[in-house]
Amino acid sequence: MENCIFCKIINKELPSYEVYSNDYVYAFLDINPVNYGHTLVVPKKHYENLEEIDERNLKELIIAVKKIGKAIKDGLNVNGYNIGINNGSVAGQIVPHLHFHIIPRLEDDGIKLMPQRKYIEDKASKYAEKIRRALE
Ligand code: 5GP
Ligand code: ZN
């Protein structure tokens, strides 16, 4: 897609530090890493978000995430990593081309996950019901 920064990276119109490529997927280092080795894994076809991507491309994407996650563990000698998608601008998505972040984690790196809270009153059953209904 025109004017998409990740499409330009995939098409080599912009430079990147490539980590992995196949017919469906391209992976490269995030320009502003949370930790060194922070990798972005993107479908080669432009999809804005997780709802848009078809199952074939999604399957290839998650297989690549698994493969690259293992390579990050083995190659960077770390014990784990976080995988995430910021899906939608309200969730922090800045680049509107679907991408997984894989963030290598170091012992005592001080990175905090999102704060969690407790359910009050009957909120848990109500929210579960709303989601179940939307799945019907
Ligand atoms: P989002 O917030 O959309 O999930 O994350 C977009 C990510 O893309 C950010 O972590 C940002 O650092 C990274 N990014 C933005 N522009 C570029 C770029 O031109 N090259 C690379 N390698 N990463 C980029
Ligand atoms: Zn794109």
Side-chain angles (χ1 to χ4, degrees):
M1 166 170 287
E2 232 179 289
N3 286 331
C4 170
I5 197 160
F6 286 178
C7 284
K8 285 183 180 162
I9 286 174
I10 292 160
N11 296 329
K12 309 282 185 205
E13 292 163 44
L14 287 173
S16 67
Y17 289 98
E18 178 177 328
V19 167
Y20 179 76
S21 180
N22 68 21
D23 287 347
Y24 298 89
V25 174
Y26 187 70
F28 55 103
L29 294 185
D30 194 297
I31 203 167
N32 292 130
V34 174
N35 277 328
Y36 287 174
H38 178 168
T39 297
L40 301 175
V41 189
V42 310
K44 282 193 170 169
K45 271 180 77 177
H46 181 94
Y47 303 98
E48 187 164 330
N49 56 42
L50 192 58
E51 293 88 71
E52 278 191 4
I53 192 169
D54 60 80
E55 291 188 359
R56 179 65 212 266
N57 279 280
L58 179 59
K59 185 175 156 198
E60 296 292 339
L61 189 62
I62 194 67
I63 289 169
V65 167
K66 181 177 179 185
K67 190 192 283 275
I68 296 160
K70 180 167 175 14
I72 283 176
K73 241 176 130 172
D74 294 346
L76 304 184
N77 205 22
V78 296
N79 288 327
Y81 46 86
N82 290 105
I83 296 171
I85 297 176
N86 297 324
N87 203 59
S89 59
V90 73
Q93 184 175 10
I94 292 165
V95 178
H97 180 133
L98 174 64
H99 51 282
F100 275 94
H101 294 255
I102 309 181
I103 302 170
R105 293 302 301 273
L106 314 172
E107 301 298 336
D108 304 320
D109 61 18
I111 294 162
K112 295 263 184 289
L113 298 178
M114 285 186 241
Q116 288 177 272
R117 57 173 89 167
K118 303 233 178 287
Y119 279 104
I120 55 163
E121 299 155 359
D122 57 352
K123 294 281 186 206
S125 65
K126 286 198 166 143
Y127 273 75
E129 176 64 13
K130 284 183 196 196
I131 298 167
R132 277 200 303 272
R133 285 228 175 119
L135 283 164
E136 281 167 8

